[in-house]
Amino acid sequence: MYSYNAPIFSPPVFFNRKDLKRAAKEDMRTAHPRVWKVTLVYLLLTSGLFLLLNLLLGSSVPYTRDLLTILFTTDDPQVLLNALSTPSSPAALPVFFLQVLLQLYAAVMEFGYYGYTLRRSRGEDASYGDLLGGFGMAGRVIVMNLIVLAFSLCWAFLVLVPVTLAISFLLTMFLMGSYLYTASAEQLVSQLLVLYPIIIVIFIAAALLILFLTLRYAFAPFCLADRPDDGPLEAVRRSRRLLSGRYGEILKLVLSFIGWNILSAVLSGLVSGVCVAVGCVLFLGSGSMTALTVGIVAGEVLSFVLPLPFTVWLTGYYTSTLARYYCAVSDAAPQPDDGQQMPGNSGLPF
């Protein structure tokens, strides 16, 4: 379906993202077992497990409860500032190692879900067991994620350093100009109100640029799942080669899901906010700390449970679309002869 014969230095063939999404939806409708069931198991084994451990072992609930209690019972801003500056959890070594282990576990599980989606998109047999496929090669999966993280941080550093210096220079010149021309306080505030939106726009543009530069590694999990013997570094390199000349295309594809992601975040935030607000009202009316604690816990649980059907659908939809895109690009990519280098590598090592 996506076969493409071309000379090795031919320009890339671009794909219609609507067709990719349509194919992804068709995959989700025809897959057995159903995609939503496998995705639900995946989310319960990751986000659901993390939520449970946070409620049982974490300190976010007591921290939020104490913070709200101080907010409602004191008028001293210094007390509130002291509470805000207090860390929400102790810097204990076991807690730190547990958090690290959970992050590694999440990375391996995510790789298993990517592998499941890739097999399903190719019409191969894929089931619940594929979610655990990453544990057989956990070392390579973790190294791949560390490489992607390191390269992404390098790109972020290259973008944010000049942006921060430029904004600092802009603010310095603004303050010097205000001092030389002895602007009044009202004029200074009005000028700052004009300047701050410009700074926000600059940082948003920088974030989009970082996303544009780091999306070259989006295929790395698929590449490693597709060719596990190549190793993690080659998977990252192959992702960069496959997406060479397609950064704008994959950026548009990823940004086309931003509305759904915002909706998901809004739903979770609304549910959590309503529960916490109810707990605060009950606390103010009766002074019951139990009511406040229940409201906070209910907010965390329900903000995960109630939007879960939508989260399941969106997770499967996005990953299936990305897998379809990988299949299309990898099938269309020209294959080099023995000893011939593929184009697409920049002068930078990342």
Side-chain angles (χ1 to χ4, degrees), residues 160-280:
L160 290 178
V161 168
V163 168
T164 304
L165 291 176
I167 291 177
S168 300
F169 176 77
L170 180 64
L171 287 174
T172 302
M173 296 301 295
F174 170 78
L175 294 175
M176 289 179 61
S178 300
Y179 174 77
L180 291 175
Y181 291 100
T182 61
S184 64
E186 292 79 6
Q187 291 174 333
L188 185 61
V189 170
S190 62
Q191 291 171 357
L192 284 174
L193 290 177
V194 175
L195 186 61
Y196 281 153
I198 297 176
I199 295 176
I200 293 174
V201 170
I202 292 175
F203 273 113
I204 292 176
L208 289 175
L209 179 58
I210 293 172
L211 178 63
F212 173 81
L213 293 171
T214 55
L215 278 175
R216 64 188 64 200
Y217 312 120
F219 282 171
F222 294 122
C223 291
L224 185 60
D226 204 11
R227 302 178 182 179
D229 293 335
D230 287 351
L233 182 58
E234 179 57 29
V236 176
R237 288 173 174 169
R238 183 165 177 258
S239 174
R240 190 175 63 177
R241 289 196 300 266
L242 289 174
L243 289 171
S244 177
R246 302 180 182 274
Y247 301 147
E249 185 179 51
I250 191 172
L251 179 65
K252 293 177 183 177
L253 181 64
V254 171
L255 290 180
S256 67
F257 287 90
I258 193 170
W260 295 115
N261 289 312
I262 292 175
L263 179 59
S264 177
V266 169
L267 288 175
S268 297
L270 284 176
V271 172
S272 178
V274 169
C275 292
V276 174
V278 171
C280 291

Side-chain angles (χ1 to χ4, degrees), residues 66-82:
D66 296 341
L67 190 62
L68 290 173
T69 303
I70 294 173
L71 179 64
F72 291 134
T73 57
T74 183
D75 295 328
D76 188 356
Q78 186 60 43
V79 176
L80 182 60
L81 290 176
N82 292 336

Side-chain angles (χ1 to χ4, degrees), residues 124-146:
E124 302 174 4
D125 292 334
S127 187
Y128 300 96
D130 293 308
L131 295 177
L132 305 178
F135 289 96
M137 47 188 297
R140 281 172 284 182
V141 174
I142 293 171
V143 171
M144 179 201 69
N145 280 276
L146 291 176

Side-chain angles (χ1 to χ4, degrees), residues 43 60 98 118 151 164 191-192 211 217 228 248 287 321 340:
L43 291 176
S60 61
L98 178 61
L118 179 61
F151 287 175
T164 304
Q191 291 171 357
L192 284 174
L211 178 63
Y217 312 120
T321 303
Q340 190 174 13

